[in-house]
Amino acid sequence: MKLATLKNGSRDGGLLLVSRDLRQALDVGHIAATLQLAIERWDQIEPRLQALYLTLNQGQAAGAFAFDPTRIAAPLPRAYQWLDGSAFLSHGALMQKAFNLDPIEGIDSIPLMYQGAGDDFIGSRDDIPLPSERYGIDFEGEFAVLVDEVPMGCPADSALGHIKLILQLNDVSLRALAPREMKTGFGFLQAKPSSSFAAVAVTPDELSDAWHEGRVHLPLQVEWNGEWFGNPHGGQMHFGFHQLIAHAALTRRLSAGTLIGSGTVSNHDRRAGSACIAERRAIEMIEHGEPRTGFMHFGDRVRMEVLGSDGLSIFGGIDQRVVAAARPGASSCA
């Protein structure tokens, strides 16, 4: 099943059911007004949505209309909690080698994770407004999962059942601001502006055999300004999503609607390219002694896509520009 959120002028948008081929959509507000409400009552809502999904894919759903990703917000425009991991250890290993960083104790047994801003996610075709190019604008291709309520202390072997939807995202990063924030020990704030998400969130069964061991076993295709940048494979996560959930829930309950990210998709085989500029720069530093690739400029476009075995887009992809943010007037900040 595929779900999306229509921009309708409200903060949380309206819930849509989307056909498997992403051609048709159906307003399902009579079942659940928003995705957050659907997740909170998933056991009751999901069977009704699945029945309609079958009808939609058969071309028999009354009221269906053409799906237009430009009218779509992030599947969950705001989340009660957004936790992002770093589950691809090849990414961290490159950074450690390039910058001569001390190894992190327990890196292969305890996941890295920070709590980000979940109050203002961006749609897949929306521009990304940022204040300055000098902050080192970067994209990061990732996967994420949306969970129902997870009890505190939930073990990894029980966590898979709490994953209701899988998403694709661009975790926008400002690299020039990150080093100081990491040194403080308080985590990211300014270095992590709003992330953007592909148009649809999908139930695990939509991935068929590509979903197992808590991982998306498919490549993430990344283009920057129309040129290939990488196609790293999601199956090479060191920690599966079930392990990330267990880590996050060790000392607290996770509310229904919590989003958990994989971190930058990365592979040990460098022929796969990269899903973020920082990783390519790290490789250049290792191979040439200095980075040769700059960060993004205003007007640059990034495109990210995941295709199934049938060649169809699974999540609807991401295709967006970075632009200069409008400067707020004094009155708007008062």
Side-chain angles (χ1 to χ4, degrees), residues 43-117:
D43 289 345
Q44 295 78 38
I45 295 296
E46 188 267 346
R48 297 176 64 188
L49 292 177
Q50 283 285 8
L52 273 178
Y53 187 59
L54 178 62
T55 302
L56 181 63
N57 285 317
Q58 292 173 339
Q60 299 174 355
F65 56 90
F67 180 66
D68 180 1
T70 65
R71 299 176 59 203
I72 300 300
L76 198 65
R78 55 177 173 173
Y80 286 118
Q81 186 164 218
W82 160 232
L83 305 172
D84 201 12
S86 184
F88 292 86
L89 296 193
S90 56
H91 176 72
L94 281 171
M95 296 300 173
Q96 179 184 328
K97 184 174 182 180
F99 294 98
N100 195 29
L101 303 173
D102 292 332
I104 299 174
E105 183 179 354
I107 189 70
D108 60 348
S109 58
I110 302 175
L112 296 178
M113 187 174 289
Y114 74 94
Q115 186 158 341

Side-chain angles (χ1 to χ4, degrees), residues 2 30 43 50 67 86 89 103 113 140 173 181 190 207 216 218 230-231 243 270 274 281 286 300 315 323:
K2 298 189 176 187
H30 62 291
D43 289 345
Q50 283 285 8
F67 180 66
S86 184
L89 296 193
M113 187 174 289
E140 288 191 57
S173 296
E181 293 190 332
Q190 294 175 337
L207 298 179
V216 178
L218 290 168
N231 59 343
Q243 294 167 298
R270 295 180 185 173
S274 299
R281 286 167 60 90
I286 294 168
D300 281 7
F315 303 98
V323 298

Side-chain angles (χ1 to χ4, degrees), residues 236-252:
Q236 293 192 22
M237 284 176 73
H238 180 78
F239 300 102
F241 276 112
H242 56 307
Q243 294 167 298
L244 296 182
I245 293 168
H247 175 75
L250 180 65
T251 60
R252 55 174 154 174

Side-chain angles (χ1 to χ4, degrees), residues 7 38 47 55 84 86 88 129 147 183 187 201-203 208 274 282 290-291 295 303-304 324:
K7 297 176 183 177
T55 302
D84 201 12
S86 184
F88 292 86
V147 300
K183 288 178 182 178
V202 309
T203 49
S208 189
S274 299
E290 62 180 3
F295 291 111
R303 187 174 187 275
M304 302 177 180

